[in-house]
Amino acid sequence: MDADKIDRQARRILRGNDRGGYTVPTAGLYPYQWNWDSCFAAWGFSTFDVKRAWFEIHTLFTGQWDNGMVPHIIFHKRADGYFPGPDVWQVPRVPHTSGITQPPVAATLIRSVYEADKHYGRVHMELVYGRLVSWHRWFMTHRVEEGMVAITHPWESGRDNAADWDAALENVDGSNVGEYTRCDTAHVDAAMRPSKEDCDRYLAIVQFSRGANWDEAVIAKDGPFRVADVGMTFMLLRACRDLLHIAAELDHYTGEIEGWIKVLEAGVARHWNPEGFYDSLDLRTGAFSGAPGSASFLAWYAGVENEGLLQLLTDILDRTAFGVASLDPRRRRFDALRYWRGPIWAVLNAMIGLGLAEMGHTLLAAKLRRDTQRLIAEHGFYEYFSPLDGAPAGGKSFTWTAAIWLAWAGPHARGRL
């Protein structure tokens, strides 16, 4: 392995996907700024250009709504070849955005960017702190139910077609969404993407929420999809812990954030599936999804210890070549190359590995980091990979895979947040 060469390639990918203040996940397939992708891009940039990292963060927050929500896509400028674009979302603001959010990793990764250069970052942290608090407050007000984070669309989870949503999506009627042209399958083999039936249902949910003028109360009461996402709960809990650290560092009031942490910690127990893993559950029916996968193992990232879960993780890693599959390979719905129904994602490997290391599981964390390093070194900077043999899939020259190499997986990376 020529680590220096791979480092240079990773930096070239970040520079190449830079669109002047924001970074696209990859050219063609994803031509706009995505929320959590952008935060990971900033983490990667902070390893060699901390000023550019902060530029990424500030650009992301130009899309923040007045109610505090940070949307999952910001449409800074028109780009052909993506569906659904701003004309479908019809959000009346500039810059145009989607109408839903995405995993709240910003506080965690902004803390890391800040700690890469506190002298330069202090003023930037002061500028963005209030925006972070506002976004977290929006989550706690509109999306936390019994301590768990509710999503109103599978795309909010970042794990679009995960098996977690199968049962809940059966109750979404996608038969009347009208004609549309998918653009993703022009870039990637359709066998690696969500199905047409899934996409019909995704669009039906968008149309409902758009018809409700994105009113959270209406969507909560009557929306066709509302699931407590185990991944979102763990990520928001971790983000609140990091936000608390930032607040103390800046000498701001911490009581509100401490209250949020207590609520979310209590909610974690409600995600425990008696089958033996943390799971998502349909808030309309109360049924667990029965889908142990990478999101289940974000427990340690959130500061939650569970010895039984550790054994399940070890069992899954024994069946995979390069890290944590997005769905347990022993499950009937497992598909090694279809997006979030089985493939390994370097970004989830990193989050799980970081959590394991912080909670004292250093040997397992080191193995996960080595496996991810070998995966990228051998197969390249792809969007995701087969957990069986590491075969690359999805988009090429992918921003957050490059960022994970630079910030965590590569031999020269810090390997920590």
Side-chain angles (χ1 to χ4, degrees):
M1 177 196 305
D2 186 339
D4 289 332
K5 180 179 179 181
I6 302 174
D7 286 351
R8 290 193 296 271
Q9 184 182 359
R11 289 191 289 268
R12 282 197 302 271
I13 288 171
L14 289 179
R15 295 293 196 198
N17 287 335
D18 186 346
R19 296 296 180 266
Y22 66 94
T23 312
V24 299
T26 189
L29 184 60
Y30 304 112
Y32 297 107
Q33 183 177 26
W34 263 258
N35 185 326
W36 71 324
D37 295 73
S38 199
C39 294
F40 282 103
W43 191 32
F45 274 122
S46 73
T47 66
F48 66 96
D49 188 345
V50 73
K51 294 181 180 180
R52 179 61 187 78
W54 279 111
F55 197 177
E56 187 81 22
I57 295 300
H58 290 307
T59 306
L60 173 64
F61 278 95
T62 64
Q64 187 170 29
W65 289 17
D66 292 343
N67 66 4
M69 193 267 280
V70 182
H72 96 296
I73 307 174
I74 300 93
F75 303 105
H76 292 289
K77 52 189 177 184
R78 187 77 193 185
D80 294 329
Y82 178 79
F83 181 87
D87 54 325
V88 174
W89 294 95
Q90 298 179 17
V91 172
R93 71 177 314 281
V94 177
H96 296 298
T97 73
S98 65
I100 58 176
T101 195
Q102 226 178 10
V105 297
T108 299
L109 296 171
I110 288 172
R111 176 184 171 185
S112 186
V113 171
Y114 170 62
E115 292 184 350
D117 185 341
K118 286 189 174 183
H119 177 73
Y120 178 80
R122 178 76 184 206
V123 66
H124 295 281
M125 182 60 82
E126 290 279 12
L127 287 170
V128 81
Y129 173 77
R131 290 182 173 274
L132 286 170
V133 171
S134 182
W135 189 23
H136 284 217
R137 189 178 290 130
W138 174 86
F139 266 110
M140 299 304 299
T141 301
H142 298 291
R143 294 302 188 81
V144 173
E145 298 186 17
E146 298 186 71
M148 302 176 292
V149 179
I151 60 171
T152 63
H153 195 296
W155 290 338
E156 290 194 309
S157 70
R159 308 183 328 278
D160 301 18
N161 68 328
D164 302 50
W165 329 128
D166 287 359
L169 281 173
E170 288 180 2
N171 296 318
V172 178
D173 181 6
S175 63
N176 297 309
V177 296
E179 296 296 321
Y180 63 94
T181 301
R182 292 179 64 175
C183 299
D184 57 333
T185 51
H187 300 278
V188 176
D189 186 337
M192 299 179 182
R193 301 292 295 175
S195 69
K196 172 65 164 57
E197 185 177 35
D198 281 343
C199 289
D200 290 345
R201 287 167 168 162
Y202 300 157
L203 190 55
I205 299 170
V206 170
Q207 291 174 348
F208 173 88
S209 298
R210 185 183 66 199
N213 294 315
W214 308 105
D215 185 312
E216 288 290 335
V218 174
I219 294 168
K221 180 177 180 292
D222 299 323
F225 181 94
R226 197 168 187 87
V227 175
D229 173 16
V230 65
M232 289 283 266
T233 298
F234 282 142
M235 284 184 272
L236 183 59
L237 175 54
R238 170 57 187 260
C240 285
R241 297 192 198 281
D242 287 305
L243 188 62
L244 180 65
H245 180 93
I246 294 167
E249 177 92 1
L250 301 181
D251 199 27
H252 288 303
Y253 173 68
T254 61
E256 183 179 23
I257 304 170
E258 290 167 346
W260 295 343
I261 291 170
K262 290 179 181 177
V263 169
L264 293 166
E265 286 177 334
V268 165
R270 296 183 176 90
H271 278 292
W272 184 254
N273 186 323
E275 289 187 42
F277 56 92
Y278 290 109
D279 199 5
S280 299
L281 66 156
D282 188 340
L283 289 169
R284 301 301 191 210
T285 67
F288 282 107
S289 71
S294 49
S296 307
F297 303 113
L298 291 171
W300 299 286
Y301 174 81
V304 175
E305 185 57 89
N306 188 296
E307 287 298 322
L309 192 69
L310 198 66
Q311 182 58 56
L312 177 59
L313 175 61
T314 302
D315 290 345
I316 289 177
L317 291 176
D318 286 344
R319 291 169 169 79
T320 61
F322 294 100
V324 187
S326 45
L327 181 65
D328 186 335
R330 295 169 294 187
R331 295 281 165 159
R332 176 182 55 80
R333 294 175 287 177
F334 172 79
D335 187 332
L337 289 177
R338 191 179 288 277
Y339 215 40
W340 288 96
R341 301 189 75 84
I344 285 173
W345 295 70
V347 66
L348 265 294
N349 272 4
M351 296 166 78
I352 295 166
L354 287 161
L356 287 166
E358 290 166 352
M359 296 292 283
H361 302 292
T362 53
L363 292 179
L364 196 54
K367 170 181 165 40
L368 195 51
R369 184 182 174 193
R370 287 194 307 270
D371 286 349
T372 309
Q373 182 182 120
R374 184 165 54 91
L375 175 66
I376 296 172
E378 293 180 6
H379 297 283
F381 292 100
Y382 278 79
E383 185 176 5
Y384 47 96
F385 307 83
S386 166
L388 304 180
D389 58 9
K396 298 182 288 187
S397 298
F398 215 80
T399 290
W400 72 9
T401 308
I404 293 304
W405 175 271
L406 291 170
W408 177 73
H412 301 142
R414 289 191 305 168
R416 58 181 175 82
L417 283 165

